[in-house]
Amino acid sequence: AGFDPAAASAGSAAWARYLVDGDLARFVDPREAPRGWPTGFSPRERTAPYGLPPPRTSEKAGVVYALSPSLVDWAFAVSSKVQLPDSDALRRIRAPYAGAFPEGAGRPPRVLYGDGVSTNIWWVGELSTEWARNWTSYWTEGRGAFAHSAMEDTGVAMALAALARGGRAARPEEALLVLR
């Protein structure tokens, strides 16, 4: 798990409005992908990355979860004024990012809105981060903004959705909060 350095610094806390699954995709090694492809990942029901028209509701099922705006806004309002601790160790961690990402990784810890991509793949680097930004934007039709990665968030949402279908829980779109 980690933050996009353009979005947040170490020690920050982000409330997700959207959760996007990064594993439910087709993958072609980018070195072998067709010329012009910005990534090797494409949606399962598409033949190229970020294809138009935007994903249909049926394509989004299990891939993107739009969490309750009123619940997320409430949680943000309750927590956004909290002064998160800062330390010499955190300042040392963010120092290399300060010039390139003054509004993200270069800032002291803070509470923010930021959406998550969940994958079982450990990834790092500018190209992978750009993929996560684009993947989030694609699946949320431009409404989401990638801020953090994790492994289990969409799995939790998927489990809650299954429990909701059985009448055992509220749908994740109604009752799930994710703070990273």
Side-chain angles (χ1 to χ4, degrees):
F3 279 121
D4 177 349
S9 63
S12 290
W15 289 105
R17 293 176 175 164
Y18 294 94
L19 303 175
V20 181
D21 195 307
D23 287 333
L24 301 177
R26 294 179 181 182
F27 181 75
V28 174
D29 187 310
R31 296 167 294 189
E32 300 172 330
R35 187 170 307 235
W37 276 27
T39 180
F41 289 94
S42 64
R44 291 179 298 175
E45 296 182 24
R46 304 296 173 109
T47 58
Y50 319 123
L52 294 175
R56 299 178 308 274
T57 301
S58 62
E59 289 178 274
K60 290 181 179 184
V63 178
V64 63
Y65 296 89
L67 306 183
S68 167
S70 61
L71 189 58
V72 175
D73 288 345
W74 169 83
F76 180 80
V78 168
S79 60
S80 63
K81 302 295 185 226
V82 172
Q83 180 79 28
L84 298 178
D86 200 0
S87 67
D88 289 339
L90 287 174
R91 283 186 279 282
R92 280 191 301 276
I93 289 169
R94 69 176 179 262
Y97 301 97
F101 302 104
E103 295 303 312
R107 290 179 70 169
R110 64 192 173 102
V111 177
L112 63 140
Y113 287 109
D115 303 312
V117 169
S118 293
T119 70
N120 289 312
I121 301 167
W122 188 90
W123 51 271
V124 66
E126 291 179 36
L127 297 176
S128 295
T129 301
E130 188 64 28
W131 161 78
R133 291 175 189 143
N134 292 335
W135 194 252
T136 301
S137 181
Y138 177 76
W139 284 104
T140 63
E141 297 181 43
R143 292 186 291 271
F146 171 69
H148 56 86
S149 62
M151 185 183 226
E152 61 281 341
D153 294 342
T154 56
V156 170
M158 188 179 295
L160 286 173
L163 288 168
R165 286 191 299 277
R168 301 273 189 185
R171 295 175 40 237
E173 296 87 347
E174 299 167 346
L176 179 62
L177 285 171
V178 174
L179 177 66
R180 284 278 168 199

